[in-house]
Amino acid sequence: MPLYAIIATDKADSLADRLAARPAHLARLEALKNDGRLMLAGPFPAIDAVDPGPAGFSGSLIVAEFDALETAQAWADADPYRAAGVYVSVVVKPFKHVLP
């Protein structure tokens, strides 16, 4: 199954909305993981720190297997962070895993 990168950019001051929608967002990622389709996922800290505290995050990256680009796009469009208004933009691209 091909890989796709989902690259999302947060709105400014998204932390409260992100925290409220996080359980539903993580549940969808867990489902991908349990299906063996999740390669990696995580947020981009808004500052150069493992825990950015109140600075929050500037976006997210998800790399996962989907049947096709359209399927990956539909999955990304249904993300709870999108519904909560956390993301201002989401780009879905085919991804080729080379290393490691």
Side-chain angles (χ1 to χ4, degrees):
M1 199 175 314
L3 291 172
Y4 296 90
I6 300 168
I7 306 149
T9 302
D10 281 20
K11 69 179 180 180
D13 300 316
S14 65
L15 187 57
D17 292 334
R18 183 180 263 274
L19 292 174
R22 189 169 189 262
H25 173 78
L26 290 179
R28 295 179 82 235
L29 291 172
E30 284 292 329
L32 280 180
K33 181 180 141 193
N34 292 341
D35 288 344
R37 297 171 39 211
L38 182 64
M39 301 301 116
L40 65 91
F44 300 118
I47 59 173
D48 189 11
V50 174
D51 180 359
F57 300 92
S58 64
S60 301
L61 171 65
I62 299 165
V63 178
E65 294 178 334
F66 292 94
D67 292 334
L69 179 60
E70 295 79 15
T71 309
Q73 185 68 59
W75 189 91
D77 289 345
D79 193 298
Y81 282 172
R82 269 222 68 166
V86 172
Y87 294 153
V88 293
S89 69
V90 177
V91 176
V92 180
K93 297 181 178 188
F95 181 80
K96 182 177 178 176
H97 184 187
V98 176
L99 292 171

